[in-house]
Coordinates of all heavy atoms in Angstrom, one line a residue:
M20 N 13.9 -12.4 2.7 CA 14.1 -11.6 1.4 C 13.0 -10.7 1.2 O 11.8 -11.1 1.2 CB 14.3 -12.6 0.3 CG 14.6 -11.9 -1.0 SD 15.0 -13.2 -2.2 CE 14.8 -12.3 -3.7
A21 N 13.3 -9.4 0.9 CA 12.2 -8.4 0.7 C 11.6 -8.6 -0.7 O 12.2 -9.1 -1.7 CB 12.9 -7.0 0.7
I22 N 10.3 -8.4 -0.7 CA 9.5 -8.4 -1.9 C 9.4 -7.0 -2.5 O 9.2 -6.0 -1.8 CB 8.1 -9.0 -1.7 CG1 8.1 -10.4 -1.2 CG2 7.2 -8.8 -2.9 CD1 6.8 -11.0 -0.8
D23 N 9.7 -6.8 -3.8 CA 9.7 -5.5 -4.4 C 8.3 -5.2 -4.9 O 7.9 -5.5 -6.0 CB 10.7 -5.5 -5.5 CG 10.8 -4.1 -6.1 OD1 10.1 -3.2 -5.7 OD2 11.6 -3.9 -7.0
Y24 N 7.5 -4.5 -4.0 CA 6.1 -4.2 -4.4 C 6.0 -3.0 -5.4 O 4.9 -2.6 -5.8 CB 5.3 -3.9 -3.1 CG 5.1 -5.1 -2.3 CD1 5.7 -5.3 -1.1 CD2 4.2 -6.1 -2.7 CE1 5.5 -6.4 -0.3 CE2 4.0 -7.2 -2.0 CZ 4.6 -7.4 -0.7 OH 4.4 -8.5 0.0
S25 N 7.2 -2.4 -5.7 CA 7.2 -1.3 -6.7 C 7.1 -1.8 -8.1 O 7.0 -1.0 -9.1 CB 8.4 -0.5 -6.5 OG 9.6 -1.2 -6.8
D26 N 7.1 -3.1 -8.3 CA 7.1 -3.7 -9.7 C 5.9 -4.7 -9.7 O 5.8 -5.6 -8.8 CB 8.4 -4.4 -10.0 CG 8.5 -4.8 -11.4 OD1 7.8 -4.2 -12.3 OD2 9.2 -5.8 -11.7
G27 N 5.1 -4.7 -10.7 CA 4.0 -5.7 -10.9 C 2.7 -5.1 -10.5 O 2.5 -4.0 -10.2
A28 N 1.7 -6.0 -10.5 CA 0.3 -5.7 -10.2 C -0.2 -6.5 -9.0 O 0.1 -7.7 -8.8 CB -0.6 -6.0 -11.4
Y29 N -0.9 -5.8 -8.1 CA -1.4 -6.4 -6.9 C -2.8 -6.0 -6.6 O -3.3 -4.9 -7.0 CB -0.5 -5.9 -5.7 CG 0.9 -6.3 -5.9 CD1 1.8 -5.5 -6.6 CD2 1.4 -7.5 -5.5 CE1 3.2 -5.8 -6.8 CE2 2.7 -7.9 -5.6 CZ 3.6 -7.1 -6.3 OH 4.9 -7.4 -6.5
I30 N -3.5 -6.8 -5.8 CA -4.9 -6.5 -5.3 C -4.7 -6.2 -3.8 O -3.9 -6.9 -3.1 CB -5.8 -7.6 -5.5 CG1 -5.9 -8.0 -7.0 CG2 -7.2 -7.3 -5.0 CD1 -6.5 -6.9 -7.9
L31 N -5.4 -5.2 -3.3 CA -5.3 -4.8 -1.9 C -6.6 -5.1 -1.2 O -7.7 -4.9 -1.8 CB -5.1 -3.2 -1.8 CG -3.9 -2.7 -2.7 CD1 -3.8 -1.2 -2.5 CD2 -2.6 -3.4 -2.3
Y32 N -6.5 -5.7 -0.1 CA -7.7 -6.2 0.7 C -7.7 -5.6 2.1 O -6.7 -5.2 2.6 CB -7.6 -7.7 0.8 CG -7.7 -8.4 -0.5 CD1 -6.5 -8.9 -1.2 CD2 -8.9 -8.7 -1.1 CE1 -6.6 -9.5 -2.4 CE2 -9.0 -9.3 -2.3 CZ -7.8 -9.8 -2.9 OH -7.9 -10.4 -4.2
G33 N -8.9 -5.6 2.7 CA -9.1 -5.1 4.0 C -8.8 -6.3 5.0 O -8.3 -7.3 4.6
K34 N -9.2 -6.0 6.2 CA -8.9 -7.0 7.3 C -9.6 -8.3 7.1 O -10.7 -8.3 6.6 CB -9.2 -6.4 8.7 CG -8.3 -5.3 9.1 CD -8.6 -4.9 10.5 CE -7.6 -3.9 11.0 NZ -7.8 -3.5 12.4
E35 N -9.0 -9.4 7.6 CA -9.6 -10.7 7.7 C -10.6 -10.7 8.9 O -10.4 -9.9 9.8 CB -8.5 -11.7 7.8 CG -7.6 -11.8 6.6 CD -6.7 -13.0 6.6 OE1 -7.2 -14.1 6.5 OE2 -5.5 -12.8 6.7
P36 N -11.6 -11.5 8.9 CA -11.9 -12.6 8.1 C -12.7 -12.2 6.8 O -12.6 -13.0 5.8 CB -12.7 -13.5 8.9 CG -13.5 -12.6 9.8 CD -12.5 -11.4 10.1
E37 N -13.3 -11.1 6.7 CA -14.1 -10.7 5.5 C -13.1 -10.5 4.4 O -13.5 -10.8 3.2 CB -15.0 -9.5 5.8 CG -16.0 -9.7 6.8 CD -15.5 -9.5 8.2 OE1 -14.4 -8.9 8.4 OE2 -16.2 -9.9 9.2
K38 N -12.1 -9.8 4.6 CA -11.0 -9.5 3.6 C -11.6 -8.9 2.3 O -11.4 -9.4 1.2 CB -10.2 -10.7 3.4 CG -8.8 -10.4 2.7 CD -8.1 -11.8 2.6 CE -6.9 -11.6 1.7 NZ -6.3 -12.9 1.4
P39 N -12.4 -7.8 2.4 CA -12.9 -7.2 1.2 C -11.9 -6.5 0.3 O -10.9 -6.1 0.9 CB -13.9 -6.2 1.7 CG -13.3 -5.7 3.0 CD -12.7 -7.0 3.6
R40 N -12.1 -6.5 -0.9 CA -11.1 -5.8 -1.8 C -11.3 -4.3 -1.5 O -12.4 -3.8 -1.5 CB -11.5 -6.1 -3.3 CG -10.5 -5.3 -4.2 CD -11.0 -5.4 -5.7 NE -10.5 -4.3 -6.4 CZ -9.8 -4.3 -7.5 NH1 -9.5 -5.5 -8.0 NH2 -9.3 -3.2 -8.1
V41 N -10.2 -3.6 -1.3 CA -10.2 -2.2 -1.0 C -9.4 -1.4 -2.1 O -9.5 -0.1 -2.1 CB -9.7 -1.9 0.4 CG1 -10.6 -2.5 1.4 CG2 -8.2 -2.3 0.5
G42 N -8.6 -2.0 -2.9 CA -7.9 -1.3 -3.9 C -7.0 -2.1 -4.8 O -7.1 -3.3 -4.8
W43 N -6.1 -1.5 -5.5 CA -5.2 -2.2 -6.4 C -3.8 -1.4 -6.4 O -3.8 -0.2 -6.0 CB -5.7 -2.3 -7.8 CG -5.6 -1.0 -8.6 CD1 -4.7 -0.8 -9.6 CD2 -6.5 0.1 -8.6 NE1 -4.9 0.5 -10.1 CE2 -6.0 1.0 -9.5 CE3 -7.6 0.4 -7.8 CZ2 -6.6 2.3 -9.7 CZ3 -8.2 1.7 -8.0 CH2 -7.7 2.5 -9.0
A44 N -2.8 -2.1 -6.8 CA -1.5 -1.4 -6.9 C -0.9 -1.9 -8.3 O -1.0 -3.1 -8.6 CB -0.6 -1.8 -5.8
Q45 N -0.2 -1.0 -8.9 CA 0.5 -1.3 -10.2 C 1.7 -0.5 -10.3 O 1.6 0.8 -10.2 CB -0.5 -1.2 -11.4 CG 0.1 -1.7 -12.6 CD -0.9 -1.8 -13.7 OE1 -2.1 -1.4 -13.6 NE2 -0.5 -2.4 -14.8
N46 N 2.8 -1.1 -10.6 CA 4.1 -0.5 -10.8 C 4.4 0.6 -9.7 O 4.9 1.7 -10.0 CB 4.2 0.1 -12.2 CG 4.1 -0.9 -13.2 OD1 4.6 -2.0 -13.1 ND2 3.3 -0.6 -14.3
G47 N 4.2 0.2 -8.5 CA 4.6 1.1 -7.3 C 3.6 2.1 -6.9 O 3.8 2.8 -5.9
F48 N 2.4 2.2 -7.5 CA 1.4 3.1 -7.0 C 0.2 2.3 -6.6 O -0.3 1.4 -7.3 CB 1.0 4.0 -8.2 CG 2.1 5.0 -8.6 CD1 2.9 4.6 -9.6 CD2 2.3 6.1 -7.9 CE1 4.0 5.5 -10.0 CE2 3.3 7.0 -8.2 CZ 4.2 6.6 -9.3
A49 N -0.3 2.6 -5.3 CA -1.4 1.9 -4.7 C -2.6 2.9 -4.6 O -2.4 4.0 -4.2 CB -1.0 1.4 -3.3
Y50 N -3.8 2.4 -5.0 CA -5.0 3.2 -5.1 C -6.1 2.5 -4.4 O -6.3 1.3 -4.5 CB -5.4 3.5 -6.5 CG -4.3 4.1 -7.4 CD1 -3.5 3.3 -8.1 CD2 -4.1 5.5 -7.4 CE1 -2.5 3.8 -8.9 CE2 -3.1 6.0 -8.2 CZ -2.3 5.2 -8.9 OH -1.3 5.7 -9.7
S51 N -7.0 3.3 -3.7 CA -8.2 2.7 -3.1 C -9.3 2.6 -4.2 O -9.3 3.4 -5.2 CB -8.7 3.6 -2.0 OG -9.2 4.8 -2.4
D52 N -10.1 1.6 -4.1 CA -11.2 1.5 -5.1 C -12.2 2.7 -5.0 O -12.8 3.0 -6.0 CB -12.0 0.2 -4.8 CG -11.3 -1.0 -5.3 OD1 -10.4 -0.9 -6.2 OD2 -11.6 -2.1 -4.8
N53 N -12.3 3.3 -3.9 CA -13.3 4.4 -3.7 C -12.6 5.8 -3.9 O -13.3 6.8 -3.7 CB -14.0 4.3 -2.4 CG -13.2 4.5 -1.2 OD1 -12.0 4.8 -1.3 ND2 -13.7 4.2 0.0
G54 N -11.3 5.8 -4.2 CA -10.6 7.1 -4.5 C -10.3 7.9 -3.2 O -9.9 9.1 -3.4
T55 N -10.3 7.4 -2.0 CA -10.0 8.2 -0.8 C -8.6 8.2 -0.4 O -8.2 9.1 0.4 CB -10.9 7.6 0.4 OG1 -10.5 6.3 0.6 CG2 -12.3 7.8 0.1
W56 N -7.7 7.3 -1.0 CA -6.3 7.3 -0.6 C -5.5 6.8 -1.7 O -6.0 6.0 -2.6 CB -6.0 6.6 0.7 CG -6.6 5.2 0.8 CD1 -7.7 4.8 1.5 CD2 -6.1 4.0 0.2 NE1 -7.9 3.5 1.3 CE2 -6.9 2.9 0.6 CE3 -4.9 3.7 -0.5 CZ2 -6.7 1.6 0.2 CZ3 -4.7 2.4 -0.9 CH2 -5.6 1.3 -0.6
N57 N -4.2 7.1 -1.7 CA -3.2 6.5 -2.6 C -1.9 6.6 -2.0 O -1.6 7.4 -1.1 CB -3.2 7.2 -4.0 CG -2.8 8.6 -4.0 OD1 -3.2 9.4 -3.1 ND2 -1.9 9.0 -4.8
F58 N -1.0 5.6 -2.3 CA 0.3 5.5 -1.7 C 1.3 5.2 -2.8 O 0.9 4.7 -3.9 CB 0.4 4.4 -0.7 CG -0.5 4.6 0.5 CD1 -1.7 3.9 0.6 CD2 -0.2 5.5 1.5 CE1 -2.5 4.1 1.7 CE2 -1.0 5.7 2.6 CZ -2.2 5.0 2.7
L59 N 2.6 5.4 -2.5 CA 3.7 4.9 -3.4 C 4.3 3.8 -2.6 O 4.6 3.9 -1.4 CB 4.7 6.1 -3.6 CG 6.0 5.7 -4.3 CD1 5.7 5.3 -5.7 CD2 6.9 6.8 -4.2
L60 N 4.6 2.7 -3.4 CA 5.3 1.5 -2.8 C 6.7 1.4 -3.3 O 6.8 1.4 -4.6 CB 4.5 0.2 -3.1 CG 3.0 0.2 -2.7 CD1 2.4 -1.0 -3.2 CD2 2.9 0.3 -1.2
D61 N 7.7 1.4 -2.5 CA 9.0 1.3 -2.9 C 9.6 0.1 -2.1 O 9.9 0.2 -0.9 CB 9.8 2.5 -2.6 CG 11.2 2.5 -3.1 OD1 11.6 1.6 -3.9 OD2 12.0 3.4 -2.8
V62 N 9.8 -1.0 -2.8 CA 10.2 -2.3 -2.2 C 9.1 -2.6 -1.1 O 8.0 -2.9 -1.5 CB 11.6 -2.3 -1.8 CG1 12.0 -3.7 -1.3 CG2 12.6 -1.9 -2.9
E63 N 9.5 -2.5 0.1 CA 8.5 -2.8 1.2 C 8.2 -1.5 2.0 O 7.6 -1.6 3.1 CB 9.0 -3.9 2.1 CG 9.1 -5.3 1.4 CD 9.5 -6.4 2.3 OE1 10.2 -6.2 3.3 OE2 9.0 -7.5 2.0
E64 N 8.5 -0.4 1.5 CA 8.2 0.9 2.2 C 6.9 1.5 1.6 O 6.7 1.4 0.4 CB 9.4 1.9 2.1 CG 10.6 1.4 2.8 CD 11.8 2.2 2.6 OE1 11.8 3.0 1.6 OE2 12.8 2.1 3.3
V65 N 6.1 2.1 2.4 CA 4.9 2.8 1.9 C 5.0 4.3 2.2 O 5.3 4.7 3.3 CB 3.7 2.3 2.7 CG1 2.4 2.9 2.2 CG2 3.5 0.8 2.6
Y66 N 4.9 5.1 1.1 CA 5.0 6.5 1.2 C 3.7 7.2 0.9 O 2.9 6.7 0.1 CB 6.0 7.0 0.1 CG 7.4 6.6 0.4 CD1 7.9 5.4 0.0 CD2 8.3 7.4 1.1 CE1 9.2 5.0 0.3 CE2 9.6 7.1 1.4 CZ 10.0 5.8 1.0 OH 11.3 5.5 1.3
G67 N 3.4 8.3 1.6 CA 2.2 9.1 1.4 C 2.4 10.0 0.1 O 3.4 10.1 -0.4
P68 N 1.3 10.7 -0.2 CA 1.3 11.5 -1.4 C 2.4 12.7 -1.3 O 2.9 13.1 -2.4 CB -0.1 12.1 -1.5 CG -0.9 11.3 -0.6 CD 0.0 10.6 0.4
G69 N 2.7 13.1 -0.1 CA 3.7 14.1 0.0 C 5.2 13.6 0.0 O 6.1 14.4 0.2
G70 N 5.3 12.3 -0.2 CA 6.7 11.7 -0.2 C 7.2 11.3 1.1 O 8.4 10.8 1.2
D71 N 6.4 11.4 2.2 CA 6.9 11.0 3.5 C 6.6 9.5 3.7 O 5.6 9.0 3.3 CB 6.2 11.8 4.6 CG 4.7 11.8 4.5 OD1 4.2 11.9 3.3 OD2 4.0 11.8 5.5
I72 N 7.5 8.8 4.4 CA 7.3 7.4 4.7 C 6.2 7.2 5.7 O 6.3 7.8 6.8 CB 8.6 6.7 5.0 CG1 8.4 5.2 5.1 CG2 9.2 7.2 6.3 CD1 9.6 4.3 5.1
V73 N 5.2 6.5 5.4 CA 4.0 6.4 6.3 C 3.9 4.9 6.9 O 3.2 4.7 7.9 CB 2.7 6.8 5.7 CG1 2.7 8.2 5.3 CG2 2.4 5.9 4.5
G74 N 4.7 4.0 6.3 CA 4.6 2.6 6.8 C 5.4 1.6 6.1 O 6.3 2.0 5.3
W75 N 5.1 0.4 6.4 CA 5.9 -0.8 5.8 C 5.0 -1.9 5.4 O 3.9 -2.0 5.9 CB 6.8 -1.3 6.9 CG 7.7 -0.3 7.5 CD1 7.4 0.5 8.6 CD2 9.0 0.2 7.0 NE1 8.4 1.4 8.9 CE2 9.4 1.2 7.9 CE3 9.8 -0.2 6.0 CZ2 10.6 1.9 7.7 CZ3 11.0 0.5 5.8 CH2 11.4 1.5 6.6
V76 N 5.5 -2.7 4.5 CA 4.8 -4.0 4.2 C 5.6 -5.1 4.8 O 6.8 -5.2 4.4 CB 4.6 -4.2 2.7 CG1 3.9 -5.5 2.4 CG2 3.9 -3.0 2.1
E77 N 5.0 -5.9 5.6 CA 5.7 -7.1 6.2 C 4.8 -8.3 6.1 O 3.7 -8.2 6.5 CB 6.1 -6.8 7.6 CG 6.9 -7.9 8.2 CD 7.4 -7.6 9.6 OE1 7.6 -6.4 10.0 OE2 7.6 -8.6 10.4
A78 N 5.3 -9.3 5.4 CA 4.5 -10.6 5.2 C 3.2 -10.3 4.5 O 2.2 -10.9 4.9 CB 4.3 -11.3 6.5
G79 N 3.2 -9.3 3.6 CA 2.0 -9.0 2.8 C 1.0 -8.1 3.5 O -0.1 -7.9 2.9
V80 N 1.3 -7.6 4.7 CA 0.4 -6.7 5.4 C 1.1 -5.3 5.5 O 2.2 -5.2 6.1 CB 0.1 -7.3 6.8 CG1 -0.8 -6.3 7.5 CG2 -0.6 -8.6 6.6
A81 N 0.4 -4.3 5.0 CA 0.9 -2.9 5.1 C 0.3 -2.3 6.4 O -0.9 -2.4 6.7 CB 0.5 -2.1 3.9
T82 N 1.2 -1.7 7.2 CA 0.8 -1.0 8.4 C 1.5 0.4 8.4 O 2.5 0.6 7.8 CB 1.2 -1.8 9.7 OG1 2.6 -2.0 9.7 CG2 0.5 -3.1 9.8
T83 N 0.9 1.3 9.2 CA 1.6 2.6 9.4 C 2.8 2.4 10.3 O 3.0 1.4 11.0 CB 0.6 3.6 10.0 OG1 0.2 3.1 11.3 CG2 -0.6 3.8 9.1
N84 N 3.6 3.5 10.4 CA 4.7 3.5 11.3 C 4.3 3.2 12.8 O 5.2 2.6 13.5 CB 5.5 4.8 11.2 CG 6.2 5.0 9.9 OD1 6.6 4.1 9.3 ND2 6.3 6.3 9.5
D85 N 3.1 3.6 13.2 CA 2.7 3.3 14.5 C 1.9 2.0 14.7 O 1.3 1.7 15.7 CB 2.0 4.5 15.1 CG 0.7 4.8 14.4 OD1 0.4 4.2 13.4 OD2 0.0 5.8 14.9
G86 N 1.9 1.2 13.6 CA 1.3 -0.2 13.7 C -0.1 -0.3 13.3 O -0.7 -1.4 13.4
Q87 N -0.8 0.8 12.8 CA -2.2 0.7 12.3 C -2.3 0.0 11.0 O -1.5 0.2 10.1 CB -2.8 2.0 12.3 CG -3.0 2.7 13.6 CD -3.7 4.0 13.5 OE1 -4.4 4.3 12.5 NE2 -3.5 4.8 14.5
F88 N -3.2 -0.9 10.8 CA -3.5 -1.7 9.6 C -3.8 -0.7 8.4 O -4.6 0.2 8.6 CB -4.6 -2.6 9.8 CG -5.0 -3.4 8.6 CD1 -4.3 -4.6 8.3 CD2 -6.0 -3.0 7.8 CE1 -4.7 -5.3 7.2 CE2 -6.4 -3.7 6.7 CZ -5.7 -4.9 6.4
L89 N -3.2 -1.0 7.3 CA -3.5 -0.2 6.0 C -4.3 -1.2 5.1 O -5.4 -0.9 4.7 CB -2.3 0.3 5.4 CG -1.6 1.5 6.1 CD1 -0.3 1.8 5.4 CD2 -2.5 2.7 6.1
F90 N -3.6 -2.3 4.7 CA -4.2 -3.2 3.7 C -3.3 -4.5 3.6 O -2.2 -4.5 4.0 CB -4.4 -2.6 2.3 CG -3.1 -1.9 1.8 CD1 -2.1 -2.7 1.2 CD2 -3.0 -0.6 1.8 CE1 -1.0 -2.1 0.7 CE2 -1.9 0.1 1.3 CZ -0.8 -0.7 0.8
I91 N -3.9 -5.5 3.1 CA -3.2 -6.7 2.7 C -2.9 -6.6 1.3 O -3.8 -6.3 0.5 CB -4.1 -8.0 3.1 CG1 -4.4 -8.1 4.6 CG2 -3.4 -9.3 2.5 CD1 -5.4 -9.1 4.9
I92 N -1.7 -7.0 0.8 CA -1.4 -6.9 -0.6 C -1.1 -8.3 -1.1 O -0.3 -9.1 -0.5 CB -0.2 -5.9 -0.8 CG1 0.1 -5.7 -2.3 CG2 1.0 -6.4 0.0 CD1 1.1 -4.6 -2.5
E93 N -1.7 -8.7 -2.2 CA -1.5 -10.0 -2.8 C -1.3 -9.8 -4.3 O -1.9 -8.9 -4.9 CB -2.7 -10.9 -2.6 CG -2.9 -11.2 -1.1 CD -4.0 -12.2 -0.9 OE1 -4.7 -12.6 -1.8 OE2 -4.3 -12.5 0.3
S94 N -0.5 -10.7 -4.9 CA -0.2 -10.6 -6.3 C -1.5 -10.7 -7.2 O -2.4 -11.5 -6.8 CB 0.7 -11.7 -6.7 OG 0.9 -11.7 -8.1
D95 N -1.6 -10.0 -8.3 CA -2.7 -10.1 -9.2 C -2.5 -11.2 -10.2 O -3.4 -11.4 -11.0 CB -2.9 -8.7 -9.9 CG -4.2 -8.6 -10.6 OD1 -5.1 -9.4 -10.3 OD2 -4.3 -7.8 -11.5
A96 N -1.4 -11.9 -10.2 CA -1.1 -12.9 -11.2 C -1.9 -14.2 -10.8 O -2.2 -14.5 -9.8 CB 0.4 -13.2 -11.2

């Protein structure tokens, strides 16, 4: 069952094992803590600022269409 990441609040993390916090997401918009990127989340799809689909979220891990790691997404609750 798909998780709707376009609703709610989430914390975004970098790669494990360090898993540093890299950003946050709220109501479908994902932002980096340092202001270098932002994305739109629609259910499990990740869109770039221009509206193009750039990747997917699967099992809480966002990757680009070609498989590059973007971030880990976890509920802020």
Side-chain angles (χ1 to χ4, degrees):
M20 181 171 163
I22 296 173
D23 186 358
Y24 292 108
S25 64
D26 187 31
Y29 300 90
I30 302 296
L31 309 179
Y32 296 97
K34 288 187 176 181
E35 296 189 67
E37 296 85 16
K38 199 175 162 188
R40 179 190 155 126
V41 296
W43 78 100
Q45 188 166 6
N46 298 324
F48 294 94
Y50 306 95
S51 68
D52 283 340
N53 64 10
T55 58
W56 50 261
N57 64 313
F58 297 104
L59 172 67
L60 303 173
D61 185 12
V62 185
E63 291 185 331
E64 297 173 340
V65 180
Y66 291 87
D71 52 322
I72 189 164
V73 297
W75 306 93
V76 180
E77 186 174 332
V80 178
T82 57
T83 64
N84 289 331
D85 61 357
Q87 293 185 20
F88 176 86
L89 290 173
F90 50 80
I91 297 168
I92 185 168
E93 294 182 0
S94 177
D95 190 21

